[in-house]
Amino acid sequence: MATNSPPADRLLRASAWGSLFAGPDNVRHLEQHILPAWLRRVRWFGGKASTIQECRIDDRVYLPVGEFGGWLGIVRVSYRSRPSENYTTVLGWLPKGECTELPDTAIVAPAIVDGVEGQVVDGLYVQAVRDALFADLVEGREFALGDLVVRFLPGRQLDADLQTPPSKVLNAEQSNSAVVYDNRFIAKIYRKVEYGINPDLEVTRFLTEQAGFDHIPAYRGAVEMLGPEGKTLVLAMFQDWVPNQGDAWSLTLDQLQRYYHTLAEEGLLAQQPPAVPRAAPAFGELPEAFRHAMGEPWYGLVELLAERTAGMHRALASGKQGGAFTAEAQDAAQLEHFARSTKELARSRFEMLRGLMDILKEDIRREAENLLESEADVERILMALASDPVAGKLTRIHGDYHLGQVLYTGSDFVVLDFEGEPDKPHSERRLKHSPLKDVAGMVRSFHYAVHAALLQGPAEHREAAHARDWAAAWYRLVADRFLQHYLNAMLGAELLPADHADTMRLLRAFILEKAVYELGYELNNRPEWVAIPLLGIRHIVTQYAVQ
């Protein structure tokens, strides 16, 4: 740190809010003291576990809004032991008396502007700044500072005569920030940003403006920053707000709590469940105990979710030939690479499991010991795919597909967030994959839900003699029904292997990859949940042995 750096307790001062960055002292104080401390307090900052070496305000423009506008900028965070990252910041200022209702994470630092005491705040909590973001989008404005340009790009379907509606910050615990405009539009502010094409915006815009896929929040516009070398950062995306009753994860957990409660009331959790038919049966063909505990409306929603998933995949492959949204052949080398990399991942996760056995509860430890005896079977499943590859297609996919990424409107489903796997760079998230990777994610989500509901429910449900058997039966019925309807809806699309056995072989490998990844996550974060991926891996091994 420079020897002439300002003291940590120094107040920011400016003759006008728009001249905050005019003096080097303010900039240094923000970079060296204020921003590092504030970033560690906000939910969306991903570097909390690392030592910050430097914060630098790389780029910034001022959005004029009356007397107190917003500073829109990029903070580059450098670390001692990992690559640097870029974060979008929106800074505003409010007089001291107007800050009392703001959450603590919205307060950045005290500042005196034109002799008035106040606070630098997250600009999204300033009504005038939120209004400006919307109005600037509708009017398609640009703001420049030197070679830097921030462009507001309205979508094709955004009404140019829109008046700015009332707005509020959505206080969800997310890696991005969101502003809702009168329950009509939502602005997603990307916090961690990368130069180049943003996959979430790219996919959402394509599905809205070209594919006509209606089961997403429609694209309405974007905000991008264009640097002096022509590099582009996407800072925000505007979409329709979709009225909803929550996500499909919450919906599923509610259904499962009713399922277990009904079974417990009738004393069935103490008994073996009826045999589950091998084929995915229609609701009327289920044994009476399942019909009563599950309910026909829920079964119908599983079928609808499968159809919407297939519709999404068809749409994602409907672009012009040779473009980003057309299907490509899957070659043997790609499958071999997947199989070998997943085998190595499994080896490392099993080694981690061996090293952490002593932290596991006795029943989970027994489950782990049983699975470790099947390690060779896991490798055999994966290498069989490498030695005898299946012929399928690669397309753009969702990339992080699970029940939490789907909203339930009360009558239908809407798919959210096409950002892909958050730990991967944008270039990797834009790669094409088999649509079955998304299907595997949803199947694993069903498996997680049925066991999470037990773990989070009453102890008497969890400890009942055959609770796990009823959980396994629910999972098999729901996963099979989902898959059957998905495959039926994909007929004629020519995106999956032509042979059903090949489709199932590929799907099992993707499900296995998901469960192996989850094993490492739970060992590191929630050892009491390790049983869920253990059971998932064992289920795949058992299926393979049967077939």
Side-chain angles (χ1 to χ4, degrees):
M1 187 176 294
T3 56
N4 61 343
S5 61
D9 59 353
R10 172 187 177 277
L11 273 177
L12 290 171
R13 294 177 183 271
S15 58
W17 174 238
S19 63
L20 175 71
F21 292 98
D25 283 351
N26 277 349
V27 174
R28 284 200 301 269
H29 190 43
L30 279 162
E31 292 178 336
Q32 295 173 3
H33 300 294
I34 293 173
L35 290 175
W38 178 57
L39 287 173
R40 292 195 176 283
R41 292 192 287 117
V42 294
R43 168 65 177 84
W44 43 261
F45 178 59
K48 295 185 181 70
S50 301
T51 301
I52 295 176
Q53 190 170 19
E54 180 186 36
C55 280
R56 190 173 72 244
I57 303 170
D58 265 5
D59 301 300
R60 61 184 183 268
V61 297
Y62 185 65
L63 307 179
V65 188
E67 189 178 358
F68 301 107
W71 282 101
L72 182 60
I74 300 299
V75 175
R76 185 173 184 80
V77 184
S78 299
Y79 306 98
R80 288 185 181 172
S81 57
R82 56 183 282 197
S84 59
E85 297 173 327
N86 296 313
Y87 285 89
T88 303
T89 56
V90 188
L91 298 181
W93 183 86
L94 289 173
K96 191 173 181 180
E98 297 181 25
C99 300
T100 55
E101 300 299 322
L102 297 186
D104 177 66
T105 53
I107 305 296
V108 180
I112 297 176
V113 175
D114 193 20
V116 179
E117 290 187 22
Q119 296 278 357
V120 178
V121 299
D122 183 336
L124 298 184
Y125 287 86
V126 180
Q127 179 71 52
V129 174
R130 298 197 300 270
D131 290 350
L133 291 173
F134 191 88
D136 292 342
L137 178 76
V138 171
E139 297 182 19
R141 291 176 180 160
E142 292 188 1
F143 299 90
L145 184 65
D147 294 331
L148 183 71
V149 178
V150 170
R151 303 192 297 188
F152 287 77
L153 305 171
R156 294 178 190 171
Q157 301 174 14
L158 187 68
D159 186 352
D161 296 324
L162 276 173
Q163 299 298 308
T164 302
S167 61
K168 63 180 180 180
V169 179
L170 194 63
N171 289 315
E173 291 292 302
Q174 301 290 340
S175 57
N176 298 309
S177 298
V179 175
V180 178
Y181 289 90
D182 198 28
N183 289 346
R184 296 173 61 196
F185 305 100
I186 182 169
K188 179 192 290 188
I189 314 299
Y190 296 106
R191 291 301 191 168
K192 183 181 173 184
V193 292
E194 293 181 33
Y195 288 100
I197 297 173
N198 178 304
D200 189 26
L201 185 147
E202 179 190 24
V203 171
T204 303
R205 185 173 185 176
F206 172 80
L207 291 177
T208 299
E209 297 188 343
Q210 296 185 47
F213 183 64
D214 294 332
H215 301 286
I216 62 168
Y219 172 79
R220 295 304 179 211
V223 184
E224 68 177 25
M225 179 178 284
L226 189 64
E229 298 177 1
K231 294 181 178 180
T232 300
L233 284 171
V234 175
L235 308 184
M237 178 169 64
F238 287 74
Q239 295 173 270
D240 283 350
W241 169 261
V242 178
N244 63 85
Q245 297 181 6
D247 59 34
W249 172 260
S250 300
L251 176 72
T252 304
L253 289 184
D254 288 346
Q255 191 279 331
L256 281 162
Q257 294 296 355
R258 290 193 295 272
Y259 172 75
Y260 290 126
H261 179 74
T262 300
L263 294 172
E265 273 196 331
E266 299 183 6
L268 293 176
L269 286 178
Q271 305 174 24
Q272 280 278 5
V276 176
R278 291 202 60 81
F283 184 79
E285 299 169 345
L286 293 176
E288 169 60 26
F290 289 115
R291 293 202 306 273
H292 181 55
M294 293 176 72
E296 188 169 6
W298 164 253
Y299 216 56
L301 289 176
V302 172
E303 298 166 356
L304 179 61
L305 180 58
E307 292 164 11
R308 295 294 175 252
T309 304
M312 174 183 70
H313 286 151
R314 284 176 169 271
L316 286 170
S318 65
K320 294 179 180 179
Q321 191 64 34
F325 294 95
T326 54
E328 300 173 0
Q330 178 174 258
D331 62 39
Q334 290 166 316
L335 276 180
E336 182 177 359
H337 174 74
F338 163 78
R340 293 190 182 281
S341 61
T342 305
K343 184 181 79 168
E344 290 306 312
L345 178 67
R347 283 182 176 176
S348 69
R349 293 298 186 259
F350 287 153
E351 194 60 37
M352 183 189 300
L353 181 61
R354 289 188 183 93
L356 295 174
M357 292 287 275
D358 58 344
I359 72 169
L360 303 179
K361 294 180 180 178
E362 184 178 351
D363 58 332
I364 300 177
R365 193 182 309 124
R366 286 196 301 269
E367 195 71 52
E369 290 167 349
N370 292 336
L371 179 63
L372 287 172
E373 293 176 1
S374 304
E375 184 174 359
D377 294 321
V378 171
E379 294 192 5
R380 197 174 297 118
I381 293 170
L382 294 167
M383 296 320 296
L385 193 64
S387 61
D388 183 19
V390 302
K393 296 289 181 67
L394 306 178
T395 69
R396 294 295 291 274
I397 62 172
H398 184 282
D400 189 25
Y401 198 53
H402 53 79
L403 290 164
Q405 300 283 37
V406 181
L407 289 180
Y408 179 55
T409 68
S411 60
D412 211 333
F413 291 107
V414 172
V415 182
L416 304 174
D417 294 337
F418 289 86
E419 293 185 65
E421 295 185 48
D423 294 336
K424 293 185 177 180
H426 285 176
S427 58
E428 290 188 28
R429 299 186 208 181
R430 298 183 65 236
L431 294 176
K432 295 179 181 181
H433 297 278
S434 168
L436 291 174
K437 283 187 75 89
D438 281 345
V439 176
M442 189 57 71
V443 170
R444 287 297 307 142
S445 197
F446 284 130
H447 187 256
Y448 250 80
V450 75
H451 290 286
L454 263 185
L455 286 171
Q456 297 171 347
E460 57 267 28
H461 293 180
R462 184 168 56 255
E463 295 165 2
H466 292 284
R468 276 196 176 181
D469 297 320
W470 284 95
W474 182 96
Y475 167 64
R476 180 175 165 185
L477 287 169
V478 169
D480 285 356
R481 193 64 176 172
F482 174 85
L483 183 59
Q484 182 188 70
H485 269 256
Y486 173 81
L487 294 177
N488 287 342
M490 289 293 282
L491 289 174
E494 299 183 352
L495 297 176
L496 305 179
D499 183 75
H500 179 73
D502 283 345
T503 295
M504 296 307 297
R505 197 154 59 95
L506 189 56
L507 177 62
R508 280 196 294 270
F510 290 144
I511 294 174
L512 186 57
E513 177 201 29
K514 292 278 186 186
V516 167
Y517 172 83
E518 293 158 4
L519 175 60
Y521 177 86
E522 299 300 1
L523 283 169
N524 282 323
N525 295 279
R526 295 183 298 193
E528 67 276 12
W529 285 44
V530 164
I532 300 179
L534 290 177
L535 291 169
I537 297 170
R538 191 178 71 173
H539 179 74
I540 292 297
V541 170
T542 303
Q543 275 189 326
Y544 179 79
V546 168
Q547 299 187 17

